[in-house]
């Protein structure tokens, strides 16, 4: 290969401080599905990066006033090939799914739903707290696990303290605390609280990629500023994560895992492996549930939700392509 440019610019090629590994990803605002949708800030997936370990989706919302039930009201909708992981900073959400699970989730607790071959669920905020504020994460299941029967887990996270920091581990193991919820690839997720001006250095697994999900206060990750509502990403190879609070007390989520080496196709609420599979899943949802034609089908039935299921959007005209790990 040769450079065919007539007048090539000189490029300064240096390992920039960010090349020590911190990517800073911007959020984008999207309406959550449903007739009375709230806006969420989505930091994953995006064009520049679609996975952190097997984490494939990060939505943050609030703080938003919750004077009535259903400020968040997501009607029954399907999932396949993934796990949903719900974590609240404030508020309360009532979960119902087609395995028969009916569970309230409060701050400090994790609701983890393994969709496997197919599930449907609804999520409605309650009036137990005046404010709703939280994060929803998804993990992509590896091919070996994406056909498992769906199930639901609820766990009250235990805390570890390191210096001034408190770490509530809700997926995986960190600092001697292990969450019992099921993971199919090596994963970790924790809420980190740090007082204003404080710093912490956490041991990291060099085989993991890590994400820092920043909320309303900026943070520094490995010395790089991550602005409010942004996602900081550290690639594999780090054996420690340094996190600094700035002027205010810091509350963030840390997620991590070994790179998912399998290409996945993600559309709406489905994770699959091909365009044809997504088309078939969409059609099954519309037939079984939206048209109420087969309650014994892949997606089962949600009891107790006041209202109908969420119809699938139209498929885009362009063919969906697998997302590859970069
Ligand atoms: Mn969902």
């Amino acid at each position: 290969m040769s450079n065919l440019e007539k007048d090539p610019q000189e490029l300064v090629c240096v390992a920039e401080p960010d090349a020590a590994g911190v990517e800073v990803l911007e959020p984008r605002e999207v309406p959550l599905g449903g007739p009375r949708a709230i806006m969420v800030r989505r930091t994953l997936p995006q064009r520049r990066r679609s996975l952190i370990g097997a984490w494939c989706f990060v939505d943050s919302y609030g703080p938003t006033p919750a004077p009535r039930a259903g400020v968040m009201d997501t009607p029954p909708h399907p999932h396949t090939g993934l796990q949903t992981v719900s974590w609240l900073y404030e508020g309360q959400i009532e979960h119902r799914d087609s395995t028969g699970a009916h569970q309230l989730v409060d701050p400090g607790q994790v609701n983890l739903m393994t969709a496997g071959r197919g599930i449907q669920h609804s999520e409605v905020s309650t009036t137990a707290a005046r404010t709703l504020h939280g994060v929803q994460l998804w993990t992509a299941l590896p091919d070996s696990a994406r056909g498992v029967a769906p199930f639901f887990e609820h766990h009250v996270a235990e805390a570890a303290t390191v210096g001034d920091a408190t770490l509530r581990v809700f997926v995986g193991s960190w600092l001697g605390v292990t969450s019992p919820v099921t993971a199919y690839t090596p994963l970790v997720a924790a809420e980190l609280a740090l007082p204003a001006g404080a710093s912490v250095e956490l041991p990291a697994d060099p085989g993991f990629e890590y994400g820092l999900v920043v909320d309303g206060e900026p943070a520094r990750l490995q010395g790089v500023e991550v602005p409010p509502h942004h996602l900081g990403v550290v690639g594999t190879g780090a054996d420690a994560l340094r996190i600094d609070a700035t002027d205010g007390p810091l509350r963030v989520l840390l997620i991590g895992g070994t790179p998912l080496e399998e290409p996945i196709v993600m559309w709406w609420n489905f994770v699959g492996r091909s365009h044809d599979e997504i088309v078939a899943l969409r059609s099954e949802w519309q037939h079984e549930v939206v048209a109420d034609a087969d309650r014994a089908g892949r997606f089962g039935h949600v009891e107790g939700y006041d209202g109908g299921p969420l119809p699938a959007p139209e498929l885009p005209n362009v063919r969906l392509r697998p997302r590859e790990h970069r």
Side-chain angles (χ1 to χ4, degrees), residues 99-168:
T99 69
H102 178 207
Q103 178 69 53
L104 294 169
V105 64
D106 288 294
Q109 309 177 352
V110 62
N111 269 10
L112 185 143
M113 187 181 79
T114 300
R117 67 181 304 272
I119 198 169
Q120 59 166 312
H121 73 142
S122 63
E123 292 164 295
V124 180
S125 62
T126 75
T127 50
R130 289 184 184 164
T131 304
L132 182 64
H133 188 189
V135 181
Q136 167 132 156
L137 309 161
W138 298 355
T139 78
L141 294 173
D143 203 46
S144 55
R146 69 195 189 93
V148 299
F151 62 99
F152 177 83
E153 294 166 285
H154 177 82
H155 170 66
V156 179
E158 285 175 52
T161 54
V162 198
D164 293 332
T166 304
L167 201 71
R168 289 182 191 282

Side-chain angles (χ1 to χ4, degrees), residues 10-322:
E10 185 180 24
L11 296 174
V12 180
C13 300
V14 292
E16 307 191 349
D18 284 8
V22 181
E23 267 179 87
V24 178
L25 303 179
E26 289 179 7
R28 63 184 194 286
E29 289 230 317
V30 287
L32 198 67
R36 291 183 291 179
I38 62 166
M39 296 300 284
V40 300
R41 299 178 294 274
R42 186 158 300 160
T43 44
L44 203 71
Q46 49 181 282
R47 199 167 304 165
R48 280 170 63 191
R49 175 174 278 273
S50 50
L51 291 163
I52 296 172
W55 299 101
C56 61
F57 183 92
V58 177
D59 262 4
S60 306
Y61 51 88
T64 191
R68 57 173 172 84
V71 165
M72 170 190 281
D73 184 347
T74 312
H77 59 280
H79 289 291
T80 61
L82 59 83
Q83 295 174 302
T84 65
V85 181
S86 301
W87 185 261
L88 288 172
Y89 295 129
E90 292 172 272
Q92 187 184 61
I93 290 176
E94 184 173 21
H95 163 98
R96 296 172 189 273
D97 71 39
S98 51
T99 69
H102 178 207
Q103 178 69 53
L104 294 169
V105 64
D106 288 294
Q109 309 177 352
V110 62
N111 269 10
L112 185 143
M113 187 181 79
T114 300
R117 67 181 304 272
I119 198 169
Q120 59 166 312
H121 73 142
S122 63
E123 292 164 295
V124 180
S125 62
T126 75
T127 50
R130 289 184 184 164
T131 304
L132 182 64
H133 188 189
V135 181
Q136 167 132 156
L137 309 161
W138 298 355
T139 78
L141 294 173
D143 203 46
S144 55
R146 69 195 189 93
V148 299
F151 62 99
F152 177 83
E153 294 166 285
H154 177 82
H155 170 66
V156 179
E158 285 175 52
T161 54
V162 198
D164 293 332
T166 304
L167 201 71
R168 289 182 191 282
V169 180
F170 56 91
V171 176
S173 293
W174 215 342
L175 296 163
V177 174
T178 297
S179 168
V181 301
T182 306
Y184 290 92
T185 55
L187 288 174
V188 72
E191 178 189 297
L192 171 70
L194 206 54
S199 296
V200 68
E201 190 163 287
L202 299 169
D205 183 332
F208 276 25
E209 302 168 322
Y210 288 95
L212 182 76
V213 185
V214 171
D215 194 56
E217 290 286 337
R220 276 192 302 277
L221 173 61
Q222 317 291 57
V224 175
E225 174 149 337
V226 185
H229 308 307
H230 284 56
L231 173 63
V233 184
V234 174
T236 55
D239 58 11
L241 296 178
R242 184 189 163 95
I243 295 150
D244 309 302
T246 52
D247 298 339
L250 189 66
R251 187 172 51 183
V252 292
L253 295 192
L254 282 158
I255 57 176
T258 54
L260 186 74
E261 302 292 356
E262 299 174 25
I264 64 172
V265 176
M266 198 166 152
W267 180 76
W268 193 41
N269 290 306
F270 303 129
V271 168
R273 293 296 184 276
S274 70
H275 175 72
D276 293 344
E277 188 185 354
I278 296 290
V279 171
L281 289 167
R282 179 189 181 281
S283 147
E284 280 183 57
W285 171 252
Q286 292 295 100
H287 172 75
E288 285 177 15
V289 181
V290 178
D292 199 15
D294 183 6
R295 290 196 170 189
R298 180 190 294 270
F299 297 109
H301 180 70
V302 173
E303 291 291 342
Y305 177 80
D306 185 15
L310 203 61
E314 292 302 314
L315 283 163
N317 286 325
V318 293
R319 223 177 146 78
L320 307 167
R321 284 174 305 148

